[in-house]
Short mmCIF file of all heavy atoms in Angstrom, two decimals:
data_model
loop_
_atom_site.label_atom_id
_atom_site.label_comp_id
_atom_site.label_asym_id
_atom_site.label_seq_id
_atom_site.Cartn_x
_atom_site.Cartn_y
_atom_site.Cartn_z
N PHE S 1579 47.49 124.13 31.26
CA PHE S 1579 47.95 125.36 30.62
C PHE S 1579 48.61 126.28 31.64
O PHE S 1579 49.59 126.96 31.35
CB PHE S 1579 46.80 126.09 29.90
CG PHE S 1579 47.29 127.16 28.98
CD1 PHE S 1579 47.79 126.84 27.73
CD2 PHE S 1579 47.32 128.49 29.38
CE1 PHE S 1579 48.30 127.82 26.89
CE2 PHE S 1579 47.82 129.48 28.55
CZ PHE S 1579 48.31 129.14 27.30
N HIS S 1580 48.09 126.28 32.85
CA HIS S 1580 48.69 127.05 33.94
C HIS S 1580 50.12 126.55 34.21
O HIS S 1580 51.04 127.35 34.39
CB HIS S 1580 47.84 126.93 35.20
CG HIS S 1580 48.32 127.77 36.34
ND1 HIS S 1580 47.75 128.98 36.64
CD2 HIS S 1580 49.32 127.59 37.23
CE1 HIS S 1580 48.38 129.50 37.68
NE2 HIS S 1580 49.33 128.67 38.06
N MET S 1581 50.29 125.24 34.23
CA MET S 1581 51.63 124.67 34.46
C MET S 1581 52.57 125.03 33.31
O MET S 1581 53.75 125.34 33.54
CB MET S 1581 51.56 123.15 34.62
CG MET S 1581 50.74 122.67 35.81
SD MET S 1581 51.28 123.33 37.38
CE MET S 1581 49.76 124.08 37.96
N LEU S 1582 52.06 125.01 32.08
CA LEU S 1582 52.86 125.42 30.93
C LEU S 1582 53.27 126.88 31.06
O LEU S 1582 54.44 127.24 30.84
CB LEU S 1582 52.09 125.20 29.63
CG LEU S 1582 52.77 125.70 28.35
CD1 LEU S 1582 54.04 124.93 28.08
CD2 LEU S 1582 51.81 125.61 27.18
N THR S 1583 52.33 127.72 31.44
CA THR S 1583 52.61 129.14 31.63
C THR S 1583 53.69 129.35 32.69
O THR S 1583 54.63 130.13 32.49
CB THR S 1583 51.32 129.89 32.03
OG1 THR S 1583 50.39 129.79 30.96
CG2 THR S 1583 51.59 131.35 32.33
N ASP S 1584 53.58 128.65 33.80
CA ASP S 1584 54.57 128.79 34.86
C ASP S 1584 55.93 128.23 34.43
O ASP S 1584 56.97 128.76 34.81
CB ASP S 1584 54.09 128.11 36.14
CG ASP S 1584 53.02 128.92 36.86
OD1 ASP S 1584 52.66 130.02 36.38
OD2 ASP S 1584 52.55 128.46 37.91
N THR S 1585 55.93 127.19 33.61
CA THR S 1585 57.19 126.65 33.08
C THR S 1585 57.86 127.67 32.16
O THR S 1585 59.07 127.87 32.24
CB THR S 1585 56.94 125.32 32.34
OG1 THR S 1585 56.35 124.39 33.24
CG2 THR S 1585 58.24 124.76 31.78
N ILE S 1586 57.08 128.31 31.33
CA ILE S 1586 57.62 129.35 30.45
C ILE S 1586 58.21 130.49 31.28
O ILE S 1586 59.28 131.00 30.98
CB ILE S 1586 56.53 129.86 29.47
CG1 ILE S 1586 56.20 128.75 28.46
CG2 ILE S 1586 56.97 131.14 28.76
CD1 ILE S 1586 54.96 129.02 27.63
N ASP S 1587 57.51 130.85 32.36
CA ASP S 1587 58.02 131.89 33.25
C ASP S 1587 59.36 131.46 33.86
O ASP S 1587 60.29 132.26 33.95
CB ASP S 1587 56.98 132.18 34.34
CG ASP S 1587 57.28 133.45 35.09
OD1 ASP S 1587 57.43 134.51 34.45
OD2 ASP S 1587 57.37 133.39 36.33
N CYS S 1588 59.44 130.21 34.27
CA CYS S 1588 60.69 129.69 34.82
C CYS S 1588 61.81 129.73 33.78
O CYS S 1588 62.96 130.02 34.11
CB CYS S 1588 60.51 128.26 35.31
SG CYS S 1588 59.40 128.09 36.73
N LEU S 1589 61.47 129.44 32.53
CA LEU S 1589 62.47 129.48 31.46
C LEU S 1589 62.99 130.89 31.23
O LEU S 1589 64.18 131.08 30.95
CB LEU S 1589 61.90 128.90 30.17
CG LEU S 1589 61.78 127.39 30.14
CD1 LEU S 1589 60.95 126.94 28.94
CD2 LEU S 1589 63.16 126.74 30.12
N PHE S 1590 62.13 131.89 31.33
CA PHE S 1590 62.58 133.28 31.24
C PHE S 1590 63.61 133.57 32.33
O PHE S 1590 64.66 134.15 32.07
CB PHE S 1590 61.40 134.26 31.41
CG PHE S 1590 60.72 134.66 30.13
CD1 PHE S 1590 59.47 134.17 29.82
CD2 PHE S 1590 61.32 135.56 29.26
CE1 PHE S 1590 58.82 134.55 28.66
CE2 PHE S 1590 60.68 135.95 28.09
CZ PHE S 1590 59.42 135.44 27.79
N THR S 1591 63.29 133.16 33.55
CA THR S 1591 64.21 133.38 34.67
C THR S 1591 65.51 132.62 34.45
O THR S 1591 66.60 133.16 34.66
CB THR S 1591 63.55 132.95 36.00
OG1 THR S 1591 62.36 133.71 36.18
CG2 THR S 1591 64.48 133.17 37.18
N TYR S 1592 65.40 131.37 34.01
CA TYR S 1592 66.58 130.53 33.76
C TYR S 1592 67.47 131.16 32.70
O TYR S 1592 68.70 131.16 32.83
CB TYR S 1592 66.13 129.13 33.35
CG TYR S 1592 67.26 128.17 33.10
CD1 TYR S 1592 67.91 127.55 34.16
CD2 TYR S 1592 67.67 127.87 31.81
CE1 TYR S 1592 68.96 126.65 33.93
CE2 TYR S 1592 68.71 126.99 31.57
CZ TYR S 1592 69.35 126.38 32.63
OH TYR S 1592 70.38 125.51 32.41
N ALA S 1593 66.87 131.68 31.64
CA ALA S 1593 67.65 132.30 30.57
C ALA S 1593 68.41 133.53 31.06
O ALA S 1593 69.52 133.80 30.61
CB ALA S 1593 66.74 132.67 29.40
N ASP S 1594 67.81 134.25 31.99
CA ASP S 1594 68.45 135.46 32.53
C ASP S 1594 69.48 135.15 33.62
O ASP S 1594 70.46 135.87 33.78
CB ASP S 1594 67.40 136.42 33.11
CG ASP S 1594 66.60 137.11 32.04
OD1 ASP S 1594 67.04 137.13 30.87
OD2 ASP S 1594 65.52 137.62 32.36
N CYS S 1595 69.22 134.10 34.40
CA CYS S 1595 70.07 133.83 35.56
C CYS S 1595 70.04 132.35 35.91
O CYS S 1595 69.23 131.92 36.74
CB CYS S 1595 69.60 134.69 36.75
SG CYS S 1595 70.53 134.42 38.26
N LYS S 1596 70.87 131.58 35.27
CA LYS S 1596 70.89 130.14 35.52
C LYS S 1596 71.20 129.81 36.97
O LYS S 1596 70.65 128.88 37.54
CB LYS S 1596 71.89 129.46 34.59
CG LYS S 1596 71.44 129.47 33.14
CD LYS S 1596 72.48 128.86 32.24
CE LYS S 1596 72.08 128.81 30.80
NZ LYS S 1596 71.48 130.00 30.25
N GLU S 1597 72.08 130.60 37.59
CA GLU S 1597 72.46 130.37 38.99
C GLU S 1597 71.27 130.57 39.93
O GLU S 1597 71.21 129.96 40.99
CB GLU S 1597 73.59 131.31 39.41
CG GLU S 1597 74.84 131.22 38.58
CD GLU S 1597 74.74 132.02 37.26
OE1 GLU S 1597 74.12 133.10 37.23
OE2 GLU S 1597 75.28 131.54 36.26
N CYS S 1598 70.35 131.46 39.55
CA CYS S 1598 69.19 131.76 40.40
C CYS S 1598 68.32 130.52 40.61
O CYS S 1598 67.64 130.39 41.63
CB CYS S 1598 68.35 132.88 39.81
SG CYS S 1598 69.20 134.45 39.71
N LEU S 1599 68.30 129.63 39.63
CA LEU S 1599 67.45 128.44 39.71
C LEU S 1599 68.25 127.15 39.89
O LEU S 1599 67.73 126.06 39.71
CB LEU S 1599 66.56 128.33 38.47
CG LEU S 1599 65.55 129.46 38.29
CD1 LEU S 1599 64.75 129.27 37.01
CD2 LEU S 1599 64.62 129.57 39.48
N ALA S 1600 69.51 127.28 40.26
CA ALA S 1600 70.39 126.12 40.40
C ALA S 1600 69.86 125.09 41.39
O ALA S 1600 70.08 123.89 41.22
CB ALA S 1600 71.79 126.56 40.79
#
Side-chain angles (χ1 to χ4, degrees):
F1579 193 79
H1580 184 100
M1581 298 304 124
L1582 175 65
T1583 297
D1584 285 359
T1585 301
I1586 291 168
D1587 194 55
C1588 294
L1589 285 168
F1590 269 107
T1591 301
Y1592 181 79
D1594 287 342
C1595 178
K1596 291 177 179 45
E1597 303 81 35
C1598 296
L1599 296 179

